[in-house]
């Protein structure tokens, strides 16, 4: 099937989902209290976006996200590169990292609250903590994706350390690192949201959770649509860069 | 001097963490509110044993139900999406875009729909674990060696025979990886859900002890969850290792695309 055909099918499905969202509550098949029709949710999205309180909450969440990202990504990359370059160090820590992955990070939230309170610092600390492991793992995968033959060829032709770094390491690692960036962004976003939903006075996650508790379903769904759209746009942007960069690899 | 083996160093590290956990608060370097000594945590755990056990029972019940949902639905949808070209082209990119959405923001919707009892946790954790199972099942079916199918067909295997004799055995290792990831995610999902809005389960216990600043009981709950998830992971890995023999048998070497590997390695947020 052609590309255009596939895209057409996707849009048709999207339209069907949206139509069902509108019609099921309107026709009374689904309780409109539980699933407000789309035509109620979309104006609500405009409405909440116009509220200063929501602006403020989005600002706080975005700042938490940004600071946590700036902490977790460089630190995680450094540890990851170190553990890939130093075999002994890697052998010690890699198996431990695998276990850390399967552990719910959110269970440590109470400790972050005990140490940092429930303010900005706690959100940043928790989000950075929940992100750093995936950064470590992806960074060491990025180093391992550098082909030994490429290094050998570069060295045999007398490349300096600097040339090896800029001509071999960076081009081979960039696509993998971009993917790491993308996944760590997803983790970081989830981390901020969970921390805000768990205990917070502000932030968009806290708003969503309180809309849910107060049964304000149109606001809740509008918030969910907003966050989902933002997440998807970010994700697709980095993916686009990724596909552009992977041209270098082959 | 020969360096100690990495394995020994790992155990030493774990022992060191336990010692530090006991020593720091005892020596007054860290307030006991922030880090109660290990011995106090264990005493708290033993004293409140019945409470923790009944909470663990609730949590396990939710985890098992959620795993059944995630694995059942994930394998079914994954098999369809991986096996049928049209579905794969239409849906696979959509699913990997949706992966970016933090599912946790949907939890308020689940509580509004299903209440704050076990149902909402099961539904949420099921949705949480569904994606890795589905994606890895799709990848597992997609990367089966075409020649195996060709051989089976040329020897006159019927479609059901092809499915039971070729497709299922050849995709099992990949599916198992997905089940491990999905299982870990359902545990995470249940715990997150219990911590957010709940009236039972270990996540709830941890949260309610946190609000009254009873640190030893908080750490006891945390310890239980850690043990639970590490036990699950160890068991799942052991099962995977046993089926490793099949892994190289039915797999197209190198042919699996980057995207397949990415979906397989997709870790669990939160």
């Amino acid at each position: 099937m052609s590309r255009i055909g596939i895209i057409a099918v996707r849009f048709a499905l999207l339209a069907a989902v949206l139509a069902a969202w509108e019609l099921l509550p309107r026709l009374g098949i689904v309780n409109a209290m539980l699933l407000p029709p789309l035509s109620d949710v979309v104006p609500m999205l405009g409405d909440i976006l116009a509220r200063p309180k929501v602006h403020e909450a989005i600002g706080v969440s975005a700042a938490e996200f940004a600071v946590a990202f700036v902490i977790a990504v460089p630190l995680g990359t450094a540890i990851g590169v170190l553990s890939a370059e130093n075999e002994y160090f890697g052998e010690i820590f890699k198996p431990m990292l695998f276990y850390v992955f399967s552990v719910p990070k959110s269970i440590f939230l109470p400790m972050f609250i005990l140490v940092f309170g429930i303010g900005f610092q706690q959100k940043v600390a928790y989000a950075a903590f929940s992100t750093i492991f995936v950064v470590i793992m992806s960074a060491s995968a990025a180093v391992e994706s550098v082909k030994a033959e490429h290094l050998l060829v570069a060295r045999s032709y007398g490349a300096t350390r600097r040339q090896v770094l800029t001509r071999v390491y960076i081009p081979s690692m960039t696509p993998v690192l971009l993917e790491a960036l993308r996944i760590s962004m997803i983790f970081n976003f989830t981390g901020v949201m969970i921390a805000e939903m768990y205990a917070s006075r502000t932030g968009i996650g806290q708003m969503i959770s309180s809309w849910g508790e107060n049964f304000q379903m149109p606001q809740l769904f509008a918030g969910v649509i907003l966050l989902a759209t933002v997440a998807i746009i970010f994700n697709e942007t980095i993916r686009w860069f990724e596909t552009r960069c992977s041209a270098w690899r082959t | 001097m020969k360096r100690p083996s990495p394995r020994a160093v790992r155990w030493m590290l774990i022992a060191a963490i336990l010692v530090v956990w006991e020593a720091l608060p005892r020596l007054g370097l860290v307030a006991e509110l922030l880090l109660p000594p290990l011995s106090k945590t264990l005493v708290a755990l033993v004293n409140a044993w019945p409470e923790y056990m009944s909470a663990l029972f609730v949590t396990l019940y939710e985890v098992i139900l959620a795993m059944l949902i995630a694995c059942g639905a994930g394998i079914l949808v994954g098999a369809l999406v991986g096996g049928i070209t049209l579905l794969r082209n239409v849906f696979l990119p959509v699913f990997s875009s949706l992966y970016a959405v933090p599912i946790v923001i949907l939890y308020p919707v689940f509580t509004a729909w299903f209440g704050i009892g076990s149902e909402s946790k099961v539904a949420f954790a099921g949705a949480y674990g569904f994606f890795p199972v589905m994606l890895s099942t799709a990848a597992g079916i997609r990367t089966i060696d075409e020649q195996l199918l060709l051989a089976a067909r040329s020897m006159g295997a019927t479609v059901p025979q092809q499915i039971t004799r070729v497709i299922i055995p050849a995709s099992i290792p990949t599916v198992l990886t997905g089940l491990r990831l999905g299982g870990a995610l359902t545990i995470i999902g249940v715990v997150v859900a219990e911590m957010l809005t709940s009236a039972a389960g270990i996540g709830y216990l941890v949260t309610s002890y946190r609000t009254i600043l009873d640190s030893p009981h908080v750490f006891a709950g945390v310890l239980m969850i850690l043990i639970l998830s590490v036990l699950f992971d160890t068991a799942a890995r052991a099962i995977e290792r046993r089926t490793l023999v099949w892994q190289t048998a039915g797999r197209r070497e190198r042919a699996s695309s980057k995207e397949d590997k990415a979906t397989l390695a997709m870790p669990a947020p939160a």
Side-chain angles (χ1 to χ4, degrees), chain B:
Chain B
M1 193 188 95
K2 201 173 153 282
R3 286 197 277 191
S5 78
R7 202 183 159 79
V9 175
R10 269 200 299 279
W11 284 109
M12 264 150 53
L13 265 178
I14 292 170
I17 289 172
L18 294 180
V19 169
V20 167
W21 184 355
E22 180 67 32
L24 279 185
R26 288 275 177 219
L27 296 174
L29 295 174
V30 178
E32 282 204 12
L33 176 68
L34 301 186
L35 184 73
L38 175 60
S39 51
K40 272 200 179 172
T41 306
L42 292 178
V43 168
L45 182 62
V46 172
N47 285 345
W49 189 247
E51 193 185 9
Y52 280 98
M53 270 299 125
S54 62
L56 182 66
F57 186 73
V58 172
T59 303
L60 276 181
Y61 165 77
E62 289 164 358
V63 166
I64 289 169
L65 280 186
M67 273 186 195
L68 286 179
I69 293 177
C71 297
I75 290 178
L76 186 71
V77 176
L80 289 177
V81 168
I84 302 169
T85 319
L86 174 65
L87 289 181
R88 180 198 312 158
N89 289 340
V90 171
F91 283 112
L92 220 50
V94 176
F95 282 133
S96 46
S97 298
L98 284 180
Y99 172 72
V101 179
I103 305 179
V104 68
I105 59 174
L106 285 177
Y107 184 61
V109 177
F110 281 89
T111 43
W113 283 354
F114 301 109
I116 64 160
S118 284
E119 293 87 347
S120 59
K121 274 94 206 160
V122 171
F124 175 73
Y128 221 69
F130 167 79
F131 279 95
V133 178
M134 191 273 291
L135 289 172
S136 59
T137 309
I141 287 184
R142 213 160 69 149
T143 51
I144 290 172
D145 195 338
E146 284 292 330
Q147 299 199 340
L148 292 180
L149 280 174
L150 188 68
R153 266 200 300 271
S154 20
M155 288 188 271
T158 59
V159 171
Q161 277 174 334
Q162 285 177 31
I163 291 178
T164 54
R165 296 300 170 91
V166 181
I167 295 182
I168 290 181
S171 56
I172 277 180
T174 330
V175 174
L176 278 177
T177 311
L179 292 186
R180 176 169 56 81
L181 288 175
L185 267 186
T186 51
I187 296 179
I188 294 175
V190 166
V191 171
V192 167
E194 283 178 351
M195 288 174 72
L196 288 176
T197 322
S198 178
I202 300 221
Y204 165 75
L205 266 193
V206 167
T207 296
S208 64
Y209 278 123
R210 195 266 307 166
T211 46
I212 56 168
L213 295 179
D214 186 345
S215 315
H217 282 99
V218 172
F219 277 73
V222 171
L223 204 58
M224 274 192 111
I225 296 288
L226 292 185
I227 293 172
L228 178 69
S229 47
V230 168
L231 278 184
F232 172 78
D233 201 63
T234 315
R237 277 178 201 281
I239 296 173
E240 254 177 84
R241 258 199 306 278
R242 294 198 62 149
T243 58
L244 206 67
V245 205
W246 304 339
Q247 195 139 31
T248 35
R251 204 125 304 275
R252 255 184 294 160
E253 275 306 314
R254 303 252 129 238
S256 57
S257 68
K258 185 172 160 280
E259 197 159 321
D260 286 330
K261 276 180 209 144
T263 52
L264 280 181
M266 242 183 218

Side-chain angles (χ1 to χ4, degrees), chain A:
Chain A
M1 200 171 180
S2 70
R3 233 189 112 64
I4 296 168
I6 287 167
I7 292 173
V9 173
R10 259 183 231 155
F11 272 104
L13 281 172
L14 179 67
V17 170
L18 295 181
W21 188 345
E22 177 65 32
L23 288 177
L24 288 181
R26 287 265 178 241
L27 297 175
I29 301 171
V30 172
N31 187 345
M33 278 292 286
L34 294 178
L35 185 73
L38 189 62
S39 54
D40 289 357
V41 172
V42 172
M44 186 53 82
L45 183 60
D47 183 45
I48 62 168
L49 276 177
R51 295 181 197 172
K53 253 190 97 174
V54 174
H55 289 173
E56 199 186 307
I58 292 176
V60 170
S61 301
E64 288 161 355
F65 176 82
V67 176
F69 199 74
V70 169
I71 294 173
V73 171
L75 195 63
T77 312
I79 299 175
V81 170
L82 197 67
S83 70
E85 288 287 290
N86 183 335
E87 215 172 299
Y88 184 64
F89 190 75
E91 265 184 67
I92 294 175
F93 285 104
K94 274 226 185 92
M96 293 178 112
L97 272 180
F98 277 115
Y99 280 111
V100 171
F101 258 117
S102 65
V103 162
K105 312 288 178 303
S106 52
I107 195 72
F108 295 104
L109 259 174
M111 298 174 187
F112 282 89
I113 293 177
L114 288 171
V115 177
F116 295 104
I118 62 163
F120 189 80
Q121 291 172 337
Q122 177 247 339
K123 308 291 175 304
V124 170
Y126 173 74
F129 166 77
S130 65
T131 311
I132 197 159
F133 300 105
V134 72
V135 183
I136 295 175
M137 205 130 153
S138 323
S140 65
V143 174
E144 278 157 14
S145 75
V146 178
K147 289 204 181 81
E149 306 96 82
H150 290 179
L151 284 176
L152 190 67
V153 170
R155 290 212 188 96
S156 347
Y157 279 91
T160 59
R161 268 185 90 83
R162 198 198 149 94
Q163 280 172 328
V164 170
L165 186 70
T166 54
R167 297 297 171 86
V168 182
Y169 270 93
I170 291 182
S172 348
M173 281 169 65
T174 305
V176 189
L177 280 182
L178 273 176
E179 195 189 334
L181 209 65
R182 184 169 64 85
I183 292 180
S184 55
M185 204 191 63
I186 298 173
F187 272 56
N188 201 357
F189 193 32
T190 312
V192 170
M193 284 306 127
I194 290 185
E196 286 182 350
M197 290 170 74
Y198 186 56
S200 183
R201 282 188 213 96
T202 177
I204 194 77
Q206 185 270 335
M207 299 212 101
I208 285 203
S209 138
S210 81
W211 284 328
E213 273 161 26
N214 298 317
F215 224 72
Q216 292 167 293
M217 296 310 272
Q219 283 90 331
L220 175 58
F221 275 102
V224 168
I225 290 181
L226 175 68
L227 290 180
T229 316
V230 171
I232 289 175
I233 288 174
F234 264 102
N235 189 36
E236 293 305 313
T237 315
I238 302 187
R239 270 233 293 226
W240 181 75
F241 277 113
E242 247 175 76
T243 34
R244 291 202 55 175
C245 289
S246 50
W248 301 346
R249 277 172 76 81
T250 41

